[in-house]
Amino acid sequence: MSIAENIQRIVSQLPASVRLVAVSKTKPVEALREAYDSGQRIFGENYVQELCSKHPLLPADIEWHLIGHLQTNKVKYVAPFVSCIQSADSEKLLKEIDKEARKNDRVIDVLLEISIASDGSKFGFEPDDTFLFLKEGRYRLFPNVRFCGVMGMGSFSDTESITRIEYRTLKIVFNKLKAAIFKNEDAFSEISMGMSYDYHIAIEEGSTLVRVGTSIFGERNYNQ
Ligand SMILES: *Cc1c(COP(=O)(O)O)cnc(C)c1O
């Protein structure tokens, strides 16, 4: 199947409340172009250098989401153009995003990455820490950051019940944050969860953004 056919097949399965992030890490610009030509507008990349080299070669109306772990010293490279940083996983990083957004006269959308994987293999705020940081109101010190929701990665597990519990946890964290902190902020509305092999489960558990790579572009080859 072609990239365009894969995208059509996936999009046709998504409820209207769910948007597709095409995860294009390691894939050449031509593959992204093919996805773009079939109507895809949101692309997710993991690595700053790769994102910065692809961005100028592709149309300006693409929404670039950074989904990989971001080091504070690299925020400056993506701040001029990134649409959303989904992997905001520390207060220090949020502070840097705010600073670089201000320099570029922008407000940058972020998702709070929450650690939900039971195998402990991922980055992210511990759910309780997120609360503390937000409850104390320190996030208000970052006016050039717009808090748009949460993001999570499940365990490397093919056990459906584990994945489901993890995604359910993320939805609960979102609901709590929404009720306690962001009740009046319409922007706080996204739950980014679900990848190629489990996006159906994620949608059932309340995802609004699915991040799909392999099922669109095929397997990745990191040695190329
Ligand atoms: C690579 C990646 C994805 C996509 O994974 P696939 O299994 O290829 O769909 C989604 N989210 C993050 C954070 C990733 O790093």
Side-chain angles (χ1 to χ4, degrees):
M1 289 242 266
S2 70
I3 289 171
E5 285 167 330
N6 289 337
I7 287 180
Q8 267 159 28
R9 178 174 43 84
I10 295 166
V11 167
S12 71
Q13 298 166 16
L14 301 181
S17 56
V18 181
R19 292 181 300 153
L20 173 64
V21 179
V23 175
S24 45
K25 61 178 176 242
T26 78
K27 297 296 172 183
V29 165
E30 300 77 63
L32 280 75
R33 167 75 66 179
E34 192 180 333
Y36 179 89
D37 288 342
S38 79
Q40 182 62 27
R41 289 294 177 273
I42 311 177
F43 289 81
E45 288 280 346
N46 289 60
Y47 310 107
V48 168
Q49 203 180 355
E50 188 178 347
L51 172 56
C52 291
S53 64
K54 285 174 175 172
H55 157 254
L57 303 175
L58 286 155
D61 63 342
I62 287 179
E63 266 187 51
W64 293 101
H65 287 210
L66 191 72
I67 63 172
H69 180 64
L70 176 58
Q71 290 170 290
T72 46
N73 62 353
K74 294 194 174 157
V75 173
K76 57 178 176 287
Y77 302 118
V78 297
F81 68 88
V82 75
S83 284
C84 180
I85 295 175
Q86 293 204 7
S87 43
D89 61 1
S90 73
E91 187 172 347
K92 186 168 151 236
L93 180 59
L94 287 164
K95 186 174 178 185
E96 185 68 14
I97 295 169
D98 181 60
K99 186 179 107 194
E100 292 298 329
R102 191 168 320 116
K103 274 193 200 160
N104 286 279
D105 204 12
R106 317 180 53 207
V107 173
I108 295 180
D109 290 353
V110 305
L111 303 183
L112 295 165
E113 182 172 358
I114 310 290
S115 167
I116 53 166
S118 48
D119 62 8
S121 58
K122 306 288 165 15
F123 294 102
F125 284 97
E126 292 300 322
D128 291 345
D129 294 351
T130 333
F131 257 93
L132 209 61
F133 153 63
L134 294 169
K135 257 225 148 84
E136 290 173 357
R138 297 203 295 281
Y139 70 95
R140 293 203 191 83
L141 301 173
F142 307 140
N144 289 61
V145 169
R146 180 162 40 230
F147 292 86
C148 294
V150 296
M151 179 269 228
M153 272 186 91
S155 300
F156 287 110
S157 153
D158 48 17
T159 310
E160 184 181 321
S161 58
I162 294 180
T163 304
R164 197 175 282 285
I165 288 169
E166 291 169 345
Y167 287 163
R168 198 164 291 175
T169 302
L170 187 60
K171 169 81 178 177
I172 291 169
V173 172
F174 171 86
N175 284 345
K176 283 190 186 165
L177 292 175
K178 181 78 190 171
I181 319 277
F182 297 108
K183 200 165 30 198
N184 299 318
E185 307 201 20
D186 291 344
F188 196 86
S189 60
E190 303 286 1
I191 304 174
S192 172
M193 57 186 184
M195 306 175 23
S196 289
Y197 297 105
D198 59 19
Y199 68 88
H200 296 103
I201 302 173
I203 291 168
E204 286 168 13
E205 298 301 334
S207 176
T208 67
L209 282 172
V210 290
R211 309 182 304 269
V212 180
T214 310
S215 293
I216 296 173
F217 298 108
E219 296 289 339
R220 287 178 289 275
N221 182 349
Y222 287 95
N223 300 319
Q224 265 170 359

